[in-house]
Every structure is written in C-alpha cells, then in structure tokens.
Amino acid sequence: MSAASAASDLFVSLTGAAAAGAWSAPGRVNLIGEHTDYNDGFVFPFATPHRTHVALGEREDGRIRVVSTFDVEPVEVALADLDALFPARRDEIVEWARYPLGVAWALLQATGTDPASVTGVDLAFASDVPVGAGLSSSAAIEGATASALNDTWGLELDRVALAQAGRRAENEAVGAPTGIMDQMASMLGRADAGIFLDCRSLDAVVTDLGFAAAGLELLVMDTRVKHSHATGGYGERRAACERGAELMGVPALRDLSVDDLARAAELMDDVTFRRVKHVVTENQRVLDAVRTLREQGPRAIGGLLDASHTSMRDDFEISVPELDLAVETARAAGAIGARMTGGGFGGAAIALVERDAVTEVSVAVENAFDEAGYSAPHLFTVAPSAGAGRD
Ligand code: GLA
C-alpha cells in the first residue's frame, strides 16, 4: 500500500470518517555542503521522491491529536497547552509526536495566533522516507505538518517561514540542535533540481542538476547504522564550530575563507582547527560544485564529492567504517564521486553513478559489506523531486 493510502486509512480508523485533505513533504539528500548550515554557510541538497503523507480532519474541541503508522497510540493535547509543553515539558510527549506537535506550536508562535482562534485537528501520518537513514524523515514530517496546518488555519506563511517553523520544532520541541537545510530542501524541492541555499540570508537558487539528461543516477547507500542528532556528536561538532568562530573573532565560520586557515591553525587546538577547516573548505566546495555543474555539467563534480567525504572522515570525524567502506567501494567500482550525506555517525552515503554502472556498483557494495561482516546495506537510486504541498 502507498504511504498516501496508509495515511488516509489510518485517519479513518482513528476518527471513523474520511479526512478533509491530504498533504505530503519529501525527505532530502544533501549533494554537498555538510555541517555548513548552522555555520551560516552554503548547502546544495535536493528533495527525495520518498515522502511523509498526512491526512487531516478538523475537530470542534480545540485539541490536536496525532497518530502514525509507526506508533498507532494516538497522542492528544489541547492547542492551548502547547505553549506550556514546549520546550520546558517536552519530555512528557513521546519523541516522534514532538515533531508534529512542535510544528503546530511553532506556527502559532510565529504568527502570534491565539490557539482559541483556530480549529482543532486530527492528523494521521504514514511515510516511505526511511527513518534513521540520514534522509531527513524529520524534515518530511515537519514539512507535511507545516503545509497542512498553514492551509487549514489560513496562516498564509510562505515556504521559508514554514521551513523555519519546522526547524524551531526540531530545535526546541524535539531538542536536536540542527540547522535549516533539511526543512528548506523539503519545502523548496523541484524535479531534477538542487536547492543552492545561502543559510545566512536564506536566499535559495533552485538549480538544474541534469542527472537524468546526462544518463546519471544518484545511488543512496543506507548503511543501516542508526544515528540521532538529539544526542552526542552532532551537538559537540556544533559547539566546536562556535568556539572556532569566536577564536577567529567572526560571527560564524561562514565569514572565513580558505586563506584564513593558516591563522586559524595558530589560534586554536588541533581538534578545533580541523573542525573549522572542514567547514571552511566545505563551503568553498559547495560554491565550486554549483559553478562546476553549471559550466561543465554533473560529471565534473565527482572530485568535489570525494573531497567532501575525505574532509568529513579526517577533519570533522563524523564518518563510520560502514560509510567509508560504501564510499570507497562505490568509487573503486566506477562511481564518478561518492560521499556520506547528512549529519553523520551512521545513515547513508551517496554515489553519482553512470546509469549502466548502477548494478555493478551496487553488487560491489553489497559484497564488500558481506565480506566485512556488516549487515546488508539498503541500496536505491533517487531522482530529485518536488517539495511539500497539498496532494
Ligand atoms: C542534519 C541536520 C542539518 C545539517 C546536517 C549536516 O541533517 O538536520 O541541519 O546540519 O545534519 O549537514
């Protein structure tokens, strides 16, 4: 069954009636630009064909109820109580439900809307975005919720404001200190295009990727090593970046260029320096990738993808052996370029591959995982797809 039908069926079993409407939002794959978003830098993600679907119906009692195929126990609160729950008492809400309830809270906050002035809602979710694979299932549930509530409540927020509400939900209602990349990709995605985003100004240029026309495929290699950004490593990396910017006397690492690295090396300890070096060089790689793509076409960005992975493995230290193996094997089997994607510590790597080499690369990666004694990876191609909206 499709995720869209699963969401509407779940809605019927929750309420006994048909939903008033259905919305959906995609996950994202980041082509290049990792851990640059919260440093006010550049990213270049695209939206996946995998989406989270939500079926919505209104209710008269000012309450919001959410249910998902992942956890059929509904969670229900009064809209008027959201303000007391987030962020202070978020632990009272089961983790997955903090995403949609957090978005409802952030939307009301952003618009200064009195909860008593909007209708209560029932929301039923189903998704085909793999969870924990680094494809941002979180941005997908946030984007679907934000679109559905924006339309239902007549808030008239634009896509950037909806992305910002999603990010606020993730930061404050869930407690994951992430940037804005995933939500912007989920909101702004377009078929066969990447979102070249300046995370300081939030100016986005939807840029043709031309993979299909060039006979290329983007292969996702989900290692099935689970990660979470609400714990540990992600927050530590973010803190190191903030420390580095402070030592350099700039508001954010975005304000440094590769030429500043020699001075940075003198001012900070080795670990902080390598974190800074990754971000500064990665920002440059995003700019180079966008320019190279425009001037020379998609085959020419392979070296930048490879360099991005090396930087994350050696300087930012967020890769894991499974990701390194996927990347190295894909390259050895003929991929044009490969890198881990997303926050790291698990999740997925991507490889840009000639269409007629997809099978060869996939078999090589499967065999390498088998030989290394790792669980079988989940391999699939993704075509850059449309962003969030009403279905
Ligand atoms: C996660 C976060 C993003 C971004 C990436 C790393 O996906 O949600 O905001 O920081 O990690 O590039």
Side-chain angles (χ1 to χ4, degrees), residues 28 33-35 37-38 170 178-182 229 234 342-343:
R28 65 96 190 92
E34 223 65 82
H35 287 262
D37 61 352
Y38 57 78
E170 189 147 348
T178 52
I180 191 92
M181 166 171 74
D182 306 345
H229 298 326
Y234 187 97

Side-chain angles (χ1 to χ4, degrees), residues 28-386:
R28 65 96 190 92
V29 163
N30 190 16
L31 195 55
I32 194 161
E34 223 65 82
H35 287 262
T36 45
D37 61 352
Y38 57 78
N39 289 300
D40 276 2
F42 303 103
V43 293
F44 196 25
F46 64 81
T48 63
H50 309 83
R51 300 175 80 86
T52 293
H53 294 261
V54 61
L56 175 149
E58 297 186 14
R59 47 191 284 166
E60 300 299 321
D61 59 1
R63 297 175 73 80
I64 178 168
R65 180 165 54 159
V66 295
V67 67
S68 144
T69 52
F70 292 109
D71 183 352
V72 288
E73 195 60 51
V75 178
E76 183 179 326
V77 301
L79 288 169
D81 289 342
L82 290 171
D83 218 12
L85 277 173
F86 298 128
R89 286 167 39 210
R90 66 181 177 222
D91 292 349
E92 292 172 22
I93 305 289
V94 56
E95 184 166 318
W96 82 265
R98 292 178 208 163
Y99 291 91
L101 296 180
V103 168
W105 166 72
L107 289 172
L108 294 173
Q109 290 263 317
T111 49
T113 302
D114 176 358
S117 71
V118 292
T119 177
V121 280
D122 284 315
L123 300 163
F125 294 92
S127 182
D128 57 21
V129 184
V131 173
L135 300 191
S136 208
S137 53
S138 52
I141 190 170
E142 289 155 9
T145 308
S147 302
L149 293 180
N150 188 45
D151 291 351
T152 303
W153 289 343
L155 301 176
E156 298 190 346
L157 290 171
D158 65 18
R159 285 176 175 266
V160 174
L162 296 181
Q164 284 170 317
R167 181 210 177 150
R168 181 151 189 222
E170 189 147 348
N171 291 170
E172 296 179 40
V174 179
T178 52
I180 191 92
M181 166 171 74
D182 306 345
Q183 295 80 8
M184 287 292 278
S186 183
M187 277 296 153
L188 298 178
R190 210 195 64 200
D192 204 25
I195 313 301
F196 170 40
L197 176 69
D198 178 335
C199 296
R200 174 169 276 168
S201 64
L202 296 188
D203 286 339
V205 183
V206 180
T207 303
D208 290 342
L209 291 171
F211 291 165
L216 301 179
E217 295 281 355
L218 206 290
L219 179 68
V220 173
M221 307 177 282
D222 174 9
T223 62
R224 299 196 147 143
V225 179
K226 295 284 176 235
H227 70 289
S228 160
H229 298 326
T231 50
Y234 187 97
E236 276 168 30
R237 294 306 182 279
R238 188 170 177 152
C241 292
E242 281 160 13
R243 198 161 63 236
E246 200 180 314
L247 288 167
M248 291 297 283
V250 290
L253 294 183
R254 150 69 176 276
D255 299 299
L256 300 180
S257 75
V258 175
D259 294 340
D260 294 312
L261 289 176
R263 188 165 64 93
E266 285 167 15
L267 282 180
M268 53 192 79
D269 64 89
D270 175 59
V271 171
T272 310
F273 171 67
R274 286 186 292 116
R275 306 299 187 246
V276 168
K277 182 180 163 212
H278 164 71
V279 173
V280 171
T281 57
E282 185 78 351
N283 269 327
Q284 187 59 49
R285 281 186 288 272
V286 176
L287 299 175
D288 291 346
V290 172
R291 184 174 35 79
T292 304
L293 190 80
R294 284 188 189 134
E295 291 173 0
Q296 300 171 49
R299 267 186 195 79
I301 66 169
L304 292 162
L305 302 182
D306 293 347
S308 172
H309 186 79
T310 304
S311 180
M312 287 188 281
R313 185 192 62 200
D314 298 345
D315 288 334
F316 218 59
E317 295 181 288
I318 53 169
S319 191
V320 295
E322 289 85 347
L323 288 167
D324 293 338
L325 183 64
V327 163
E328 281 153 26
T329 309
R331 271 186 219 146
I336 293 164
R339 60 185 287 276
M340 55 149 278
T341 186
F345 308 103
I350 53 170
L352 188 60
V353 179
E354 303 287 350
R355 189 171 296 138
D356 57 17
V358 169
T359 306
E360 201 178 319
V361 170
S362 304
V363 169
V365 172
E366 277 161 3
N367 288 343
F369 269 58
D370 191 36
E371 274 160 36
Y374 298 153
S375 319
H378 183 205
L379 306 181
F380 52 96
T381 57
V382 279
S385 300

